[in-house]
Amino acid sequence: TESPRVLQGCVDIYGGWVDRFGIDGSRIDTARHVNPEFWQGFSKAMIERAKARGIPNFHIFGEVANEGDVGDLALHTRVHQLPSVLDFGFRAAVQHTVAGEKGPDVLAAMFDRDALYEGGAATALQLPTFISNHDHGRFSTDVRKAFPKASDAEVLARVKLGHAMLLLLRGVPTIYAGDEQGFVGDGNDQDAREDMFASKVAVYNDNRLLGTSKTTAVANFDTAHPLYAEIAKLAAARKANAALSRGRQVTRAYDEKPGLFAVSRFDPQTGAEMLVAFNTSGKTIIRQVEVEVGSSTFTPVVGQCAAAATAPGSVTVTLPPFGYVACAVTGGVK
């Protein structure tokens, strides 16, 4: 990859796919193991090739696997000049707070480091976020391992909460196939690659799934599964509200032990505010949360919201254990 001929050859191969088939993005596997100069040349050439083909938003993101070191991730957008990277920092923060016992201050600290990426918060909006994948394993497995005595109802509630963070917070959510069917693997890597069609793999078929009495020995494409239904609801809310898909994010409140995490997101065109809040604890939370001073009325998008502000710049948020809300705001523009 240090050779200019290799660089040009790869550009020609990948560029040929763009020219012939109109592909509009590339996931770069094991990006950290290639010299920076290669990515500096490759990324620029591919984006230019795509623009020439009429694809203005060609998306390149690199797999820079780590345990959540945001500085390391950001390095690859600054030095290696990859336009984006898989957000391992997000995965680790959600695991620590929802499939773990740390406070949501971990989430706040992770988002504070968005400024480290080349392009800052604008680049962070384009980071593919995830909580499960084919290498790390499933988020449901993380929850079961962290809370072995938890009831299935609590595990399901925590897994729903993790997906709510994935779909309502900044970034490009990436959902791992089978998570929406309640798959719970035995571990990471090959132990998390269960088939959604009827499997004949014994170490998959003995798994105890979540939210269903099925096993992986039968086909699992159930649109009535509680996780499928919840993810579909969250995805629809995200699609219908630009603040949730592309909006700038501002942290409003966080606890230093399991509890409240709240942010505001702002519509990129109108500036309208959307308040999003999560409860990572097993107890009901009733709290005042900061909003824009002009924010006056609140309409539920996900969950239940107070109808009006309690005072200028403050609204009451009520969250059940492991609950979450997204509230569209009237009057709050920033």
Side-chain angles (χ1 to χ4, degrees):
T1 53
E2 291 85 354
S3 167
R5 290 181 61 196
V6 173
L7 171 59
Q8 187 58 51
C10 287
V11 169
D12 289 343
I13 293 168
Y14 283 77
W17 295 344
V18 173
D19 294 342
R20 287 182 286 161
F21 308 119
I23 66 169
D24 56 9
S26 293
R27 174 193 183 274
I28 308 297
D29 195 58
T30 59
R32 69 181 310 138
H33 303 297
V34 178
N35 55 305
E37 296 81 5
F38 180 88
W39 297 128
Q40 292 164 9
F42 179 85
S43 296
K44 181 179 179 180
M46 288 298 296
I47 290 170
E48 290 176 352
R49 188 82 164 250
K51 286 181 178 178
R53 175 64 164 73
I55 304 170
N57 298 308
F58 192 85
H59 194 40
I60 298 176
F61 59 94
E63 181 205 32
V64 182
N66 64 24
E67 291 302 315
D69 182 348
V70 174
D72 183 39
L73 294 172
L75 170 74
H76 286 77
T77 65
R78 288 190 176 271
V79 177
H80 295 231
Q81 295 179 18
L82 286 165
S84 184
V85 290
L86 279 167
D87 196 349
F88 281 82
F90 181 92
R91 186 212 63 75
V94 176
Q95 179 180 358
H96 290 321
T97 55
V98 183
E101 297 182 329
K102 292 187 177 181
D105 56 319
V106 171
L107 285 160
M110 184 269 296
F111 288 127
D112 279 347
R113 292 175 174 82
D114 282 354
L116 298 176
Y117 293 99
E118 185 69 25
T123 295
L125 283 173
Q126 300 182 57
L127 300 178
T129 50
F130 67 100
I131 56 176
S132 307
N133 76 359
H134 63 288
D135 287 329
H136 169 78
R138 297 190 181 278
F139 186 70
S140 54
T141 305
D142 293 335
V143 173
R144 278 230 176 113
K145 286 184 176 179
F147 302 100
K149 296 182 180 179
S151 66
D152 281 354
E154 178 180 333
V155 174
L156 181 62
R158 287 182 181 271
V159 173
K160 286 182 177 180
L161 175 57
H163 281 92
M165 290 182 172
L166 180 64
L167 284 150
L168 300 178
L169 294 171
R170 71 99 179 101
V172 181
T174 307
I175 298 167
Y176 186 41
D179 276 10
E180 82 286 359
Q181 297 298 313
F183 285 9
V184 182
D186 291 325
N188 59 8
D189 205 20
Q190 286 91 345
D191 283 335
R193 301 182 186 180
E194 300 89 351
D195 304 314
M196 289 178 64
F197 51 86
S199 175
K200 297 182 179 180
V201 180
V203 294
Y204 294 164
N205 293 343
D206 66 1
N207 294 349
R208 182 166 61 93
L209 307 190
L210 190 62
T212 179
S213 60
K214 293 182 179 180
T215 72
T216 56
V218 298
N220 282 268
F221 297 96
D222 182 8
T223 57
H225 190 285
L227 278 169
Y228 184 103
E230 193 69 12
I231 291 169
K233 179 181 74 175
L234 292 164
R238 180 185 177 87
K239 184 177 181 180
N241 294 275
L244 295 176
S245 59
R246 298 185 298 278
R248 182 172 57 89
Q249 179 173 298
V250 175
T251 299
R252 293 300 196 186
Y254 57 87
D255 289 335
E256 295 181 354
K257 58 183 180 179
L260 177 66
F261 182 66
V263 304
S264 287
R265 302 199 64 186
F266 296 90
D267 187 293
Q269 297 299 321
T270 67
E273 183 175 9
M274 177 82 68
L275 178 65
V276 183
F278 309 90
N279 179 4
T280 67
S281 78
K283 298 179 179 179
T284 297
I285 288 176
I286 303 176
R287 293 271 286 281
Q288 294 301 120
V289 174
E290 178 187 2
V291 290
E292 293 301 290
V293 172
S295 294
S296 54
T297 60
F298 300 80
T299 302
V301 173
V302 175
Q304 299 298 314
C305 306
T310 51
S314 182
V315 64
T316 302
V317 171
T318 303
L319 293 167
F322 313 115
Y324 39 90
V325 295
C327 309
V329 179
T330 302
V333 176
K334 183 175 180 180

